[in-house]
Amino acid sequence: DLKTRDRKKPRRLVTAHRKRDQACGRMNELEERITETPATSIAGMIAKARCAKAYDANCYPDCDDPLSMFSASIVRDLLAMAQVQS
């Protein structure tokens, strides 16, 4: 139907999309800073593991590729070691 295709999107929807895009941009900036900063201690590795765990759970909950599986394994191991040390 031509009328529905030519209608403008509701202002609130446009605003929500803009805020989502801004949040995604900020998340991408943080990802770059975290991944490009070398960990210099076990505490730093554990902090990165926590970030990876949160990122993986939110962005790729059902991912089965081998790299993701190995990365998830390393994250679990580091976080388990962090709990033992606490």
Side-chain angles (χ1 to χ4, degrees):
D1 183 45
L2 233 140
K3 286 184 179 181
T4 55
R5 271 192 284 155
D6 293 337
R7 283 197 320 212
K8 285 185 170 182
K9 291 182 181 177
R11 181 173 287 168
R12 288 183 182 180
L13 180 61
V14 172
T15 300
H17 284 189
R18 185 175 56 247
K19 287 182 178 183
R20 180 206 56 206
D21 293 344
Q22 289 171 343
C24 286
R26 182 69 178 132
M27 185 178 82
N28 290 338
E29 290 171 15
L30 290 171
E31 287 171 6
E32 279 186 39
R33 287 181 61 194
I34 291 168
T35 57
E36 290 176 4
T37 303
T40 58
S41 66
I42 290 295
M45 287 295 296
I46 291 168
K48 281 188 168 189
R50 287 184 178 131
C51 291
K53 181 180 178 185
Y55 181 84
D56 199 49
N58 291 319
C59 298
Y60 301 101
D62 298 322
C63 189
D64 287 335
D65 76 274
L67 182 58
S68 180
M69 292 167 53
F70 279 108
S71 299
S73 173
I74 292 167
V75 167
R76 280 192 307 272
D77 294 347
L78 279 170
L79 294 177
M81 289 173 15
Q83 286 180 347
V84 170
Q85 291 178 356
S86 302

